[in-house]
Amino acid sequence: MSELFDAVDALVASRATLPPPAERKRLRSAHGLTIDEVAGALKVRRATVSGWESGKTEPRPPERDAYARLLDKLAELYPAIPDPATETAPAPDVPVPATFTAVPAPVQPAEPAPSDGEVSAPTRPQVPAEDLADAPAAAPRPASTTRTTSRRPGARKAVAAGTPAGGTDPRFENGPLAVVDVEDGQVLAYGVGGLVLDVPAKSLPSLVEWTLAEAKLGQPKLSGPGRPADPLLVLTQAALERYGLPTTLTAQERDAGRIPEGHKVIKQLTRADWKLTKRGFGPWARIYRPAKGSERRCVQLCIPSWNALDTRFWGDAAQLPPAELARVLGTYASRVMTPRGSTAVTGLELMTALHPPTHAVRDEETGALRQADTKTPGSLGSDPVDCAPPEAPDGHPVLNALDLPRFHVRGPSEKLFEEAYDWARPMTDAECTLRHLVGIDVNMAFAAGANGLTVGLGESTHIKNPAFDPKLPGSWLVDLSHVDLSHVKAGKEWVELDGSLLPSPFTPKGDRPTGPAWYATPTVAYAQELGYDVTPTEAYVRYDNGRYLDGWYTRLRDAYLATMADLGVAVDLSPEDFLTAMDGYKDRDPELGIVITAIKATVKGGVGKLRERPRGEGWRPGERWRALERPTWRPDIRAAVISRTRINLHRKIVKHAAFTGQYPIAVLSDCVVYAANGKSPLDVLPYRDGKPLPGGFKLGINPGLVKHEGTQTVLWGEEVRERFDAPELNLARSIKDGTVTDADNGE
C-alpha cells in the first residue's frame, strides 16, 4: 500500500501548482537569491532555472515539487501585495507597499559577464578616495516640441514620436522627473520623451502639491520589497526666480550647503505643513509630509545653479536647455535610478533600492500587512554595524578603546590599507629603445570588481590564529613578505618572472611587504593562488555574508552597455572595429556622453561612500559622525571591492608578462602603461587569429575588459621624468593627453 501512496504523491507532485514566470523571478529576487543559488539547491543547470523564470520551459518531476515548495515558502515571506491605486479599502494605518512593477529586461552583453578571473582593475580616482564616493532606452531626441492642450486641468502634453514618456505603471506615466522652466511668463515642466506639461502652481508649496496630485511623475521600485522613487523636479534659474528662491548661493550658503532656515520660501512650506529633511533646503532638497499608510508624499528638488550637477561628473549638463537636460537626467534615471543627490549618493542609494532593509509580511492574526521584525535576507538591515578596529579610519570612535598615544600613526599591522594602485618604475635600457608608451584602461573597473564578490552583511567576529578561508569575507592579519614574484603560479604552472619589474599585489604603492599586515580576503586568497602558504595570526570575519553587490553591478553594467550601444560601441565588435568605434565616441551624442560619465561616477562614488569621512559639522576625532548612522557605512565592503579589483589587475599583468615578456612601466588604478614599438593597443596585446591571451587583457566594452587610454612617445616620458627629476613619476596619470602638472608630481 505504501508504494501506491508514494506513486500517488509523485503524481500530485508532477502537477504541483506554480506561479507565473514573472512571479517566480520576483520571489527569488525578493529573497536576494541568485539563479546560481537556486540551480545549486535543485541540482539543475543555471540555464534550466532561467528557462523556468522566462516561461520558455516548465520544471518536471522530481525538481518540480521541490521548486514549488521553494516558491511557496518565498510567497509566505513576500506575499503579492495589492496596488493601493486599485484597492478599495486598505487597512487603516497599516503600511502597504506598492505593487511590484517589473523592470524591463536589461540589455544583455553579447558575451558572458567577466568572471573572477576576467574582472580587472579599478578606475583611476580623479576625486579623493573617500568619494570613490534597464529600463527602456532613452527616447529619440525630438527635432522639435509642440504642445497640445489636454483635457486634464492645468496640463498640456507634447509627446514626440517614439516611446512613451513613462513606463507601464499609470501612476508614473509622465516619467521619473521634469525640468521646470519659465517661458513667456508660463511655467512649463519638460519631461522625458519630448513631454511638456503646463504648471499652474504660483508658489513652491503649490508646485509640490501639483507634482503629487497631477504631474504623474515617479519611477517604479527596483525590487520586490522596495518602494517607488519620489518624483524629481529640476528647477532652472528662471523657475527659481518665479518661486522666490535665489538663483545662486552666497559663499556662506555654499559652505553650509543650504539656504537659511528663516528664508521666506521655507516659511511658506512650513505654513503649508511641508517638512524638509535634516540637510535642509540645498542643491538636492527633499520636501515631504509624513506618510499615511502606503501613500508617500515626497518631492525632491534638483537645483543645477546651486551646483547640484557637479561638472566633474555631469559635465556641462547644468548649462543645457530644459528639454536636453530632461533627456540627460531622464536617460540616467531610466537606466540607473532617479538621482537622489550626487552621483556618489545615488550609487549608494542604488544598493539600498536593490536590497531594501525591510519587507512586508502578513500578520497571522489580523491578515493585514506590516513591516517584518527581521531584516530582508541579503540586505544590510536597518541598523548600522560598527567596523572592526583595523578597518576603522583614523578618528573613528571604535579606536578609543585601544588607548593609542595622541599622535600615534597606525601602520599596516594596525590598519587595513586596501587602496587602488599608484605605482611606477624607471624604464629599462631595452624599453628606452622602443618608440611609444601605450596606455590601456579597464572599463567600469570597480563595478567589475564587485561582480560576484562575497561581502559581509552583518557584524564581524574576532578570532585568533584562524585557518584562512578564501570564501569567508573579512580582514586578516598575515605576513605575506615571503611571496616572491620571481617564482609564482600562473594558473596550474609555475613561471619564472623578473619580479623587480612587477608591482607587489599586496600594497597600493607596489612595494613588497616587510612584515605582518592587515588584508581583505581577496588579497590573501591571491597569495595562495600564487602558490604560497598563508598563516593568519588574527582575523575579523563575517559569517553573515552574501553577494550583496551583484544586482548593483548588473544594473550599472546594463546602463553602461545600453548607453555605449546608443553611441555606436557594441559588445560584439572585433578588436580593430572596437578601437575605431571608441575613437571620439562621445562626440556622436554629447548628451549621452554626459550620461556615460555620470554612470562611471556612480560606480566610483558609490564604493567611496561606503567609507564616507566627516564633513565638518564640528566633528572631533573620537566622536561619531553622521555617516556612521547609515547601515551602508561599511568600510569593509569598500576594502573588499578595491582589493579584488587590484588583485584581478595584477593577475592579468602576470599572465601578460609570462606570455609576452612585457612588464608595465606604470599602473594607476585601472590604467596600465607598456612600452611598445607601435601606437596601438594591438601592438601590446597578444591577439592570435582575433583571440586574446586567455586570462589576460582583452579589448572590448564589457566591464573588466580594456580600451585604449592614450599613447605618447618614450622620449616624452623620459623628458617629463627628467624635468621633474622623478625617475618613478607615474606616467599613467598623463598618458591620455600628455599634459603633466606639478600636482601630478605630488607638488
Side-chain angles (χ1 to χ4, degrees):
M1 184 65 71
S2 61
E3 293 180 359
L4 292 176
F5 286 168
D6 291 342
V8 170
D9 290 343
L11 185 62
V12 172
S14 70
R15 300 294 188 272
T17 303
L18 297 173
E23 178 68 1
R24 301 170 195 173
K25 183 176 181 180
R26 181 191 78 82
L27 292 171
R28 174 181 60 77
S29 300
H31 200 63
L33 298 175
T34 65
I35 292 180
D36 289 326
E37 289 173 324
V38 175
L42 299 178
K43 294 181 171 56
V44 296
R45 296 185 302 115
R46 186 184 192 280
T48 302
V49 178
S50 181
W52 295 346
E53 291 189 354
S54 66
K56 294 180 180 179
T57 60
E58 287 294 315
R60 297 179 179 179
E63 292 84 7
R64 185 183 181 93
D65 186 35
Y67 189 46
R69 181 179 179 83
L70 169 66
L71 296 176
D72 286 343
K73 293 292 185 183
L74 294 178
E76 292 176 6
L77 291 173
Y78 312 102
I81 301 169
D83 191 334
T86 60
E87 191 176 34
T88 55
D93 300 326
V94 177
V96 184
T99 302
F100 170 66
T101 303
V103 177
V107 177
Q108 295 297 333
E111 59 183 73
S115 63
D116 290 3
E118 185 71 20
V119 173
S120 224
T123 46
R124 273 184 320 294
Q126 301 298 331
V127 295
E130 313 301 337
D131 289 333
L132 276 176
D134 322 289
R141 184 175 179 180
S144 61
T145 302
T146 357
R147 295 191 300 274
T148 58
T149 303
S150 166
R151 289 175 182 255
R152 263 191 302 127
R156 289 186 287 178
K157 292 183 181 179
V159 183
T163 57
T168 57
D169 194 320
R171 294 172 298 167
F172 314 124
E173 68 177 34
N174 290 333
L177 55 87
V179 179
V180 181
D181 192 31
V182 180
E183 181 181 323
D184 297 330
Q186 173 65 49
V187 182
L188 302 173
Y190 292 82
V192 298
L195 176 73
V196 182
L197 300 174
D198 278 341
V199 181
K202 304 298 183 184
S203 66
L204 192 62
S206 61
L207 176 64
V208 175
E209 295 275 9
W210 171 82
T211 302
L212 295 173
E214 298 184 45
K216 293 192 175 182
L217 296 173
Q219 190 175 35
K221 54 187 176 179
L222 298 181
S223 67
R227 65 189 185 196
D230 298 318
L232 173 65
L233 296 181
V234 184
L235 303 184
T236 66
Q237 288 189 325
L240 293 174
E241 292 179 352
R242 169 60 65 93
Y243 292 118
L245 290 164
T247 56
T248 58
L249 297 180
T250 65
Q252 185 176 3
E253 291 168 343
R254 285 196 300 271
D255 292 340
R258 67 189 75 184
I259 59 176
E261 294 184 5
H263 193 279
K264 63 179 182 180
V265 172
I266 297 181
K267 292 180 179 179
Q268 290 175 3
L269 292 169
T270 302
R271 287 195 297 268
D273 294 327
W274 291 105
K275 299 179 181 294
L276 293 166
T277 56
K278 290 182 179 180
R279 61 182 174 185
F281 203 124
W284 291 93
R286 300 189 70 81
I287 303 172
Y288 73 99
R289 285 177 182 154
K292 289 186 177 180
S294 65
E295 182 187 2
R296 276 179 59 81
R297 296 180 294 175
C298 181
V299 173
Q300 179 166 293
L301 302 182
C302 167
I303 306 178
S305 64
W306 294 6
N307 200 35
L309 302 176
D310 193 313
T311 55
R312 293 174 297 174
F313 315 126
W314 289 101
D316 61 354
Q319 312 304 320
L320 292 175
E324 283 78 0
L325 180 56
R327 179 184 181 236
V328 168
L329 295 177
T331 302
Y332 177 90
S334 67
R335 293 178 177 176
V336 179
M337 70 179 296
T338 303
R340 296 288 303 274
S342 67
T343 50
V345 169
T346 304
L348 200 67
E349 290 289 337
L350 180 61
M351 298 179 194
T352 303
L354 294 168
H355 286 285
T358 60
H359 58 278
V361 295
R362 187 77 62 180
D363 192 290
E364 295 181 359
E365 296 182 359
T366 65
L369 290 172
R370 61 173 177 81
Q371 293 293 334
D373 297 327
T374 57
K375 73 173 187 175
T376 303
S379 76
L380 298 180
S382 302
D383 300 319
V385 173
D386 272 340
C387 60
E391 298 163 352
D394 294 337
H396 191 286
V398 78
L399 301 177
N400 295 343
L402 302 182
D403 197 26
L404 298 173
R406 183 175 180 185
F407 297 107
H408 177 71
V409 178
R410 292 183 293 159
S413 63
E414 300 170 291
K415 181 179 178 181
L416 183 67
F417 287 93
E418 292 287 9
E419 301 295 341
Y421 264 132
D422 185 356
W423 170 88
R425 63 170 176 82
M427 283 186 270
T428 65
D429 292 343
E431 288 166 341
C432 288
T433 65
L434 302 177
R435 300 178 62 188
H436 298 286
L437 298 175
V438 181
I440 55 176
D441 174 88
V442 181
N443 298 314
M444 295 274 284
F446 278 113
N451 182 29
L453 177 65
T454 301
V455 299
L457 301 179
E459 296 181 349
S460 64
T461 300
H462 185 210
I463 50 179
K464 292 281 191 178
N465 300 315
F468 176 68
D469 183 352
K471 297 182 179 179
L472 188 60
S475 300
W476 309 78
L477 181 61
V478 58
D479 189 349
L480 300 180
S481 60
H482 62 291
V483 178
D484 183 4
L485 295 181
S486 299
H487 185 65
V488 298
K489 268 189 175 181
K492 296 182 179 180
E493 298 180 356
W494 286 90
V495 296
E496 302 295 331
L497 301 171
D498 188 341
S500 65
L501 301 181
L502 288 171
S504 168
F506 309 126
T507 62
K509 291 293 184 181
D511 302 324
R512 185 169 178 170
T514 57
W518 285 97
Y519 303 101
T521 297
T523 303
V524 185
Y526 186 56
Q528 277 191 335
E529 181 184 325
L530 291 175
Y532 291 85
D533 294 330
V534 295
T535 309
T537 58
E538 190 177 354
Y540 289 88
V541 298
R542 290 173 170 82
Y543 295 107
D544 179 12
N545 56 65
R547 291 167 56 160
Y548 176 71
L549 296 172
D550 274 11
W552 183 79
Y553 160 78
T554 301
R555 181 81 177 172
L556 289 163
R557 177 204 66 190
D558 292 346
Y560 177 70
L561 293 181
T563 309
M564 289 302 294
D566 289 344
L567 287 166
V569 185
V571 297
D572 54 356
L573 298 175
S574 67
E576 295 80 6
D577 290 342
F578 170 71
L579 292 173
T580 301
M582 287 294 294
D583 187 16
Y585 71 96
K586 288 187 179 181
D587 296 335
R588 295 172 200 144
D589 190 330
E591 291 169 17
L592 289 184
I594 293 173
V595 176
I596 282 292
T597 302
I599 292 172
K600 291 179 179 180
T602 303
V603 173
K604 184 185 298 183
V607 173
K609 274 283 185 179
L610 291 166
R611 199 194 67 171
E612 183 179 359
R613 301 303 305 275
R615 296 178 175 271
E617 304 170 357
W619 175 81
R620 294 181 179 180
E623 299 177 345
R624 294 187 70 83
W625 60 91
R626 188 166 57 181
L628 299 187
E629 307 310 318
R630 294 194 319 250
T632 48
W633 194 86
R634 293 295 301 270
D636 57 300
I637 296 179
R638 174 188 180 272
V641 173
I642 295 176
S643 164
R644 192 160 183 255
T645 51
R646 191 185 68 246
I647 290 307
N648 284 322
L649 177 61
H650 194 274
R651 184 183 293 112
K652 292 177 185 291
I653 290 173
V654 167
K655 283 275 188 180
H656 187 86
F659 187 80
T660 67
Q662 294 175 317
Y663 294 85
I665 302 296
V667 184
L668 183 65
S669 195
D670 62 349
C671 180
V672 187
V673 177
Y674 287 95
N677 270 324
K679 297 181 178 181
S680 169
L682 292 174
D683 295 308
V684 175
L685 305 184
Y687 273 81
R688 287 185 176 178
D689 299 324
K691 295 182 179 180
L693 171 67
F697 296 108
K698 178 182 178 181
L699 288 168
I701 199 56
N702 267 315
L705 306 188
V706 299
K707 60 182 180 294
H708 185 203
E709 176 69 2
T711 296
Q712 304 296 328
T713 64
V714 168
L715 291 177
W716 165 85
E718 288 296 273
E719 188 276 330
V720 165
R721 285 177 165 179
E722 184 177 346
R723 184 188 347 145
F724 286 100
D725 192 21
E728 297 183 0
L729 179 70
N730 197 324
L731 300 175
R733 186 172 280 109
S734 312
I735 197 70
K736 188 169 188 175
D737 59 9
T739 302
V740 184
T741 64
D742 289 342
D744 296 327
N745 191 35
E747 297 182 5

